[in-house]
Amino acid sequence: MDTQIILIGLAGVLASSAPIVFATIGETFAERSGVINLSLNGTILLTAMAGFAVAVSTNSLWLGFLAGALIGGLVALIVAFSSITLKQSQVAVGFILALTCRDLAYYLGNPFMGLQGPRVPSLPIPGLADIPLIGVIFFQQDILVYASFLLIIVSYVFIFKTRPGLMLQGIGEKPATAFVRGANVNRMRYFYTVLGGMLAGLAGPMFSLSVKAGWKGTISGLDGFGWIALALTIFGGWNPLRAAFGAYLFGLLQWLGLVLQPSLPNIPSQVLQVAPFPLMILTLLLVNIGNAEWVDRTLAALPERTRKWLANILRSLRTSPPASLGVPFENE
């Protein structure tokens, strides 16, 4: 395969992964605060439709993205109000909203199916775009991809290197302790849940106005990306850097499915197209297996060299969710 084609393909991986990066990091913020937002799949579909509809109607890309962020924040606000104030099941509320938003997207989006609309233009960075190899991959993207790079760095620094980030970790791990130290736990959970919803809401227009330009209803190919973002949040160990790696890995698997198709003519194209989804689920299972006690007992029976090799791999995969994830907090 020609080197230039490979470079362009890798650049496409970064571009197609940008919406998943936004959705995954948004969910990371919400879950770090102790709230599970299972509505992501419906949120992405609804905001993809609404963002495209607004952009077409106003001929403004920015209004399309603003609509996506506001709708994503509103859906997250419903999750926060239902789970924090009304003390309802976060899982049940989020799942119902995922289905509701999905159906609304398909129903309300009918008038906009197949229409031509504005698309985010490429924005090569002068000087950097001409660097051999990495220039094509990293610096000939659009502003959304650059924003995803910035989001990864800023969110990591914020969560792990700043006082507000440490407080965010506190309300997800030990909310009672954080409350004693002056944190308004429920107010902060509202804020980070809505913030996460707005980031996920931007993922929808990023698809319909850039990666998969346009709105095509049930054949848009967006159904399922929200569930992948939720899985990547766990795979990433609630860490933006590791979550972004998972998003890029998923994008790479999708690209490889397209690249390998001509070399594997006996395998139906649909198999390679959907293969990244079960592969990510398998990876998630490996992460959870790494946390199981029976794994340690099994490893103890293996030869020392093999045990150390497998233990190192599983240790790198192990993750622990925030201790109070999904648990309502009441001021005493």
Side-chain angles (χ1 to χ4, degrees):
M1 185 182 297
D2 185 78
T3 302
Q4 189 67 16
I5 295 177
I6 295 176
L7 295 177
I8 294 174
L10 293 176
V13 168
L14 296 182
S16 64
S17 301
I20 307 175
V21 168
F22 266 75
T24 303
I25 291 181
E27 182 64 14
T28 297
F29 273 109
E31 295 195 12
R32 274 286 179 184
S33 74
V35 178
I36 307 170
N37 183 359
L38 282 187
S39 71
L40 287 195
N41 196 63
T43 296
I44 290 175
L45 286 165
L46 183 58
T47 57
M49 181 281 297
F52 178 75
V54 170
V56 168
S57 302
T58 64
N59 199 34
S60 171
L61 286 167
W62 299 114
L63 288 178
F65 283 104
L66 178 61
L70 292 177
I71 292 172
L74 178 61
V75 175
L77 181 61
I78 296 173
V79 173
F81 178 74
S82 301
S83 59
I84 297 173
T85 302
L86 300 183
K87 302 295 189 296
Q88 300 301 306
S89 168
Q90 296 176 9
V91 173
V93 171
F95 186 70
I96 291 171
L97 281 173
L99 299 179
T100 302
C101 291
R102 181 197 65 183
D103 292 343
L104 279 174
Y106 293 148
Y107 176 73
L108 297 177
N110 280 329
F112 300 94
M113 286 184 59
L115 296 182
Q116 295 293 322
R119 184 169 186 171
V120 178
S122 178
L123 187 64
I125 300 177
L128 296 179
D130 298 324
I131 298 176
L133 301 180
I134 65 172
V136 175
I137 299 174
F138 293 99
F139 304 119
Q140 294 184 17
Q141 303 283 358
D142 60 38
I143 193 171
L144 302 176
V145 180
Y146 302 138
S148 69
F149 296 158
L150 183 62
L151 177 64
I152 294 168
I153 297 170
V154 170
S155 59
Y156 174 82
V157 171
F158 176 82
I159 292 175
F160 296 106
K161 305 296 182 179
T162 68
R163 181 177 177 82
L166 294 176
M167 189 64 75
L168 166 61
Q169 295 183 59
I171 65 174
E173 294 287 348
K174 297 180 179 180
T177 302
F179 176 73
V180 170
R181 294 183 176 179
N184 188 323
V185 174
N186 287 335
R187 182 183 296 173
M188 292 179 67
R189 285 184 170 180
Y190 261 100
F191 173 78
Y192 286 111
T193 303
V194 173
L195 173 64
M198 294 181 73
L199 291 174
L202 287 171
M206 290 175 73
F207 277 120
S208 60
L209 296 176
S210 179
V211 178
K212 296 175 178 286
W215 173 252
K216 301 178 182 65
T218 56
I219 60 173
S220 296
L222 301 182
D223 200 352
F225 281 103
W227 302 116
I228 288 296
L230 286 162
L232 290 175
T233 303
I234 301 173
F235 169 80
W238 297 269
N239 181 317
L241 294 182
R242 185 167 162 175
F245 170 77
Y248 293 133
L249 176 61
F250 177 74
L252 180 63
L253 291 173
Q254 286 190 304
W255 177 65
L256 288 176
L258 296 174
V259 171
L260 294 176
Q261 182 60 49
S263 304
L264 302 170
N266 295 327
I267 299 179
S269 60
Q270 294 84 351
V271 173
L272 293 175
Q273 290 173 8
V274 302
F277 290 87
L279 284 174
M280 290 309 303
I281 294 173
L282 177 60
T283 303
L284 185 60
L285 289 175
L286 289 176
V287 170
N288 288 326
I289 286 175
N291 291 327
E293 292 183 2
W294 63 267
V295 173
D296 293 330
R297 295 195 297 268
T298 303
L299 290 177
L302 297 175
E304 182 178 358
R305 180 175 298 180
T306 303
R307 181 175 69 250
K308 288 182 177 180
W309 179 72
L310 289 175
N312 288 334
I313 294 176
L314 292 175
R315 191 178 299 113
S316 67
L317 291 174
R318 284 178 175 170
T319 61
S320 298
S324 296
L325 181 61
V327 181
F329 173 74
E330 294 188 28
N331 299 341
E332 296 181 358

